Amino acid sequence: MDSGYIVLILFTLLVGILFHQAWQGHSESILTGFFAVLGGILVAWVFYHFLAPLLDARVGVMSLKQRILSSGVLGLGGWAALRGPAATFSAWLHQPGNPLHFCSDGFPAGLVSLLPGAVLVFLLSLCLRWAGTVLELRNYQTLCHPNAYFPAATYPHWSGTTVWRDGWESLPGVEGVCNLVAGTARKRHRNLAALVIASSKNPFFHQLGEDPETAPLLNNAAFQGLLEDPGILALREARDSLGLIASPRLQAASLDRELKVLLTGVNLRNAADRFFLSDNWQGTVKQEKVANQVIRAAEKENGR
C-alpha cells in the first residue's frame, strides 16, 4: 500500500478515536485540550513572528534552530498554563442553557470533536513535513561528505519519515494546505537545499551535471549564484540544514521561473541512490577501503 494512504488511515483512526471518546461523554475534556493547544500555538506563533525579531535587535540574532526551539518551549508553557482556564471555559460551554450543552455526548458530541480532530491532523502533517525534511537533508549531508565512502551493505537509506511525508503530500490538496503555514519546507526549497549540499561531493555533483534530468538545474544562473554566495557556502560547511533551507537567499533563488519548475519535478533521492549504489561508485568505495587499510598498516609498522 502507498505510504500516503497508510498515513491517511492512521489519521482517520485518530479522528475516529476522538469521535468515539466524545460520543461516550468526553467531549468536555477533548475541547479542554483543544483550547489549550490553540493557546499554546498562539503563544509560539507570536514569539516566533514578533517577539523573536525584537530580541534579535536587542540581544543578538538567533539561529533558526534556536528560534524554533524557543517558540516550542514557550508554546508548551502556554499550553500548560492555559489548561486550567480552558477547562473552566469548556465546562461553562457544556452547562445547561449554554451553546454546547446539547452535545455533551452522543452523535452531536462526535460531530463537535471533528474540529479538534482536523486541527490535530493538520499539526501532525506539519510535524511530518519538518521531520521528514530535516532527516532528508541530514542524509544528504552524510552521503555528500567529501570523505564519505559507504559500501552498499551500510548505505544510509532514506528515513521512513521522509518517505511517509512524500506519500502524504502526494494526496490531493495536502501539499497545498501545508504550504500555507510551512511554506519554508516546500518541495522546491528542500530540493534546492539538497543540491547545495550535494555540491560538496564532487563526483556526485559531476554526475548530476551529466544527467539529462538534473543538468538543467546545475546550469541555471540562479543556482550558480547560490554556489558563489559566501553565506550559503558557510551554512553548507556548518551542516546547518535548517539555516540553509530557510535562508532568504535560497528562498529568493527558488522563485526563479525556470528553477522553480525544475525543482518541483526532479527526484534527487533517486539520483543519489543511482549514483552511490552504482557499480562504478561501489568500485571506488572498495579502492578507498583498500587504500585506507594500506595506510593504517604502514602507520602501524612505522609506530613500532
Side-chain angles (χ1 to χ4, degrees), residues 137 187-200 205 216-237 241 243-256 259-260 263 268:
L137 295 181
K187 184 177 181 180
R188 68 174 187 268
H189 298 149
R190 56 203 189 218
N191 275 343
L192 187 53
L195 274 178
V196 171
I197 294 169
S199 67
S200 61
F205 199 61
L217 284 166
L218 273 62
N219 295 326
N220 179 271
F223 176 67
Q224 290 293 330
L226 282 181
L227 296 186
E228 297 170 358
D229 188 297
I232 292 293
L233 296 180
L235 290 169
R236 185 194 70 181
E237 296 308 311
S241 57
L244 180 61
I245 197 172
S247 166
R249 181 74 178 83
L250 184 140
Q251 296 280 319
S254 72
L255 295 175
D256 177 85
L259 194 58
K260 184 177 180 179
L263 288 169
L268 286 177

Side-chain angles (χ1 to χ4, degrees), residues 8-231:
L8 177 61
I9 291 172
L10 292 175
F11 284 169
T12 302
L13 286 174
L14 185 59
V15 173
I17 290 171
L18 288 178
F19 187 95
H20 178 263
Q21 289 296 311
W23 185 296
Q24 295 296 317
H26 300 290
S27 63
E28 185 175 321
S29 60
I30 291 173
L31 286 179
T32 295
F34 173 62
F35 292 136
V37 166
L38 285 185
I41 293 172
L42 180 61
V43 170
W45 182 80
V46 169
F47 177 82
Y48 185 90
H49 289 284
F50 298 101
L51 298 182
L54 293 177
L55 289 176
D56 288 345
R58 295 176 178 272
V59 180
V61 177
M62 289 187 290
S63 68
L64 179 64
K65 185 181 295 184
Q66 290 172 329
R67 183 180 289 196
I68 291 175
L69 288 175
S70 299
S71 300
V73 170
L74 288 173
L76 287 173
W79 165 79
L82 290 170
R83 280 187 60 82
T88 301
F89 180 61
S90 181
W92 176 83
L93 287 175
H94 285 79
Q95 289 176 0
N98 288 339
L100 296 183
H101 176 65
F102 75 98
C103 61
S104 297
D105 55 21
F107 184 72
L111 287 180
V112 171
S113 75
L114 294 179
L115 177 58
V119 172
L120 180 59
V121 167
F122 177 67
L123 292 176
L124 290 175
S125 297
L126 297 185
C127 291
L128 183 62
R129 162 171 279 203
W130 273 110
T133 298
V134 169
L135 292 174
E136 179 183 26
L137 295 181
R138 183 175 296 174
N139 220 43
Y140 279 115
Q141 289 171 339
T142 300
L143 286 170
C144 297
H145 190 281
N147 298 324
Y149 295 89
F150 291 100
T154 59
Y155 182 73
H157 292 283
W158 307 97
S159 166
T161 306
T162 301
V163 176
W164 285 21
R165 177 208 64 191
D166 286 352
W168 176 236
E169 292 188 1
S170 69
L171 298 182
V174 174
E175 184 176 6
V177 173
C178 290
N179 286 344
L180 294 175
V181 177
T184 301
R186 284 183 173 93
K187 184 177 181 180
R188 68 174 187 268
H189 298 149
R190 56 203 189 218
N191 275 343
L192 187 53
L195 274 178
V196 171
I197 294 169
S199 67
S200 61
K201 189 73 169 180
N202 289 331
F204 177 44
F205 199 61
H206 177 74
Q207 177 61 33
L208 290 177
E210 294 185 343
D211 189 326
E213 182 184 10
T214 53
L217 284 166
L218 273 62
N219 295 326
N220 179 271
F223 176 67
Q224 290 293 330
L226 282 181
L227 296 186
E228 297 170 358
D229 188 297

Side-chain angles (χ1 to χ4, degrees), residues 281-294:
W281 180 252
Q282 287 299 306
T284 302
V285 171
K286 292 178 182 178
Q287 293 174 5
E288 187 69 20
K289 181 179 180 180
V290 171
N292 287 335
Q293 290 174 342
V294 171

